[in-house]
Amino acid sequence: MKRIAIFASGSGSNAEKIGEYFAERSDVQVTLILTNNPKAGVIQRARKLHIPVVVFDRTIFYETDKILDLLTNSKIDLIVLAGFMMLIPAKLVEAFPERMINIHPALLPKFGGKGMYGSFVHEAVVASKEKESGITIHFVNQHYDEGNIIFQTSCEILETDSPDDVADKIHLLEHKHFPKVIDEVLSGLN
Ligand code: GAR
């Protein structure tokens, strides 16, 4: 049995799709969903799927080993960042080498780095009149959005698209591909 922990800070639509994708599987389990946001929509979505949720604050995350210990004790094989908006502490990255992946709502290296997340990315894409955008799934290292890329796919952006329109297109791509890419990464783990 392979065990996944998902970190999410907001609505959690990706976390829900991943939870649904693996719900009937006997070889993979979404064991935990973790969030830094006590008001995050992901909490309700996790409850609906009967996945345990852990809410933590900055101090616990950056100044204690509690999250690392929880992940280790829960025998987590893969950490998935699905709309998680905090930088991962070095200790955690080091404990899960090539076992932590992130989804970014643009075609990295474009529109990546500190401050580039969620709707800010889509606003920047529209402001720079891009003809396409897309998603990037990549391994996590200590720098925002710089780990090795696992998967990318793109979609067309029309001149008339608003940032919300771009967000909708990106979410469709994420929901379609992220669970499958996670499945592939898991099958490569021993
Ligand atoms: C997703 O589009 C994800 O790519 C993005 O946040 C959104 C979360 O949506 N992540 C980042 O911007 C990370 N840099 P969701 O809460 O509905 O899954």
Side-chain angles (χ1 to χ4, degrees):
M1 163 81 82
K2 296 267 176 24
R3 295 166 187 269
I4 303 172
I6 303 175
F7 283 70
S9 298
S11 156
S13 69
N14 278 287
E16 183 172 15
K17 292 289 174 197
I18 298 162
E20 286 171 354
Y21 179 95
F22 290 109
E24 305 299 326
R25 289 271 291 267
S26 54
D27 58 334
V28 178
Q29 179 189 59
V30 178
T31 304
L32 284 176
I33 293 185
L34 301 100
T35 184
N36 60 307
N37 178 3
K39 294 189 182 144
V42 73
I43 296 173
Q44 285 311 318
R45 296 188 198 258
R47 293 208 175 115
K48 211 170 73 187
L49 290 165
H50 306 291
I51 300 169
V53 190
V54 176
V55 182
F56 58 86
D57 63 22
R58 292 189 75 82
T59 310
I60 286 181
F61 197 45
Y62 290 122
E63 292 172 31
T64 76
D65 285 337
K66 282 186 183 168
I67 299 299
L68 178 55
D69 292 346
L70 174 66
L71 296 166
T72 309
N73 294 337
S74 306
K75 302 194 179 352
I76 297 301
D77 295 288
L78 185 72
I79 296 176
V80 173
L81 309 182
F84 185 62
M85 305 307 181
M86 294 173 81
L87 188 64
I88 303 294
K91 246 188 197 176
L92 213 54
V93 177
E94 283 157 17
F96 288 85
E98 305 286 278
R99 284 170 182 262
M100 192 185 302
I101 64 178
N102 178 47
I103 190 157
H104 187 78
L107 294 170
L108 290 175
K110 280 180 148 184
F111 305 105
K114 203 169 180 337
M116 274 294 173
Y117 57 88
S119 58
F120 297 114
V121 176
H122 309 310
E123 282 161 19
V125 165
V126 169
S128 60
K129 303 193 187 304
E130 295 293 309
K131 295 263 181 286
E132 63 165 15
S133 190
I135 63 171
T136 303
I137 299 168
H138 64 94
F139 288 110
V140 174
N141 65 20
Q142 270 133 267
H143 306 282
Y144 278 112
D145 305 326
E146 285 184 18
N148 289 338
I149 291 173
I150 304 164
F151 177 87
Q152 286 185 310
T153 191
S154 61
C155 59
E156 190 185 359
I157 305 298
L158 305 176
E159 267 175 42
T160 49
D161 279 345
S162 67
D164 281 349
D165 295 329
V166 177
D168 289 346
K169 289 181 177 181
I170 293 300
H171 265 123
L172 280 177
L173 287 182
E174 293 184 332
H175 297 165
K176 180 173 175 199
H177 294 285
F178 201 14
K180 288 185 203 163
V181 172
I182 292 168
D183 209 359
E184 280 161 26
V185 171
L186 283 171
S187 66
L189 294 181
N190 46 29

